Amino acid sequence: MGVATADELVRCGREALAAADWERARSFFERAAEFGETAESLDGLGEALQFGGEHARAIEGKERA
């Protein structure tokens, strides 16, 4: 993948979540948030962190979303 947009990264993050690939999802959402935190990127990151066992960070991300 070349230079991706935030929307593309969020889409890829959602696809990774659907495939239960928590680390990959986390990476996509973190990269998307580098463009500027949005509700979508923070919510997705929170979900990936939750499934990855990082519950405190997941809650923080979900609250900020």
Side-chain angles (χ1 to χ4, degrees):
M1 177 188 307
V3 176
T5 66
D7 289 339
E8 291 170 331
L9 291 167
V10 168
R11 180 184 51 77
C12 289
R14 291 278 174 218
E15 290 172 1
L17 284 176
D21 189 342
W22 318 130
E23 282 302 313
R24 195 167 136 246
R26 175 182 171 173
S27 175
F28 281 124
F29 289 120
E30 286 175 338
R31 288 173 50 206
E34 290 175 5
F35 285 90
E37 292 181 344
T38 64
E40 293 82 10
S41 65
L42 290 171
D43 183 63
L45 179 57
E47 203 166 325
L49 291 168
Q50 172 86 24
F51 286 116
E54 294 187 53
H55 303 289
R57 283 191 62 209
I59 291 168
E60 178 187 323
K62 290 282 195 174
E63 287 176 344
R64 286 191 359 241

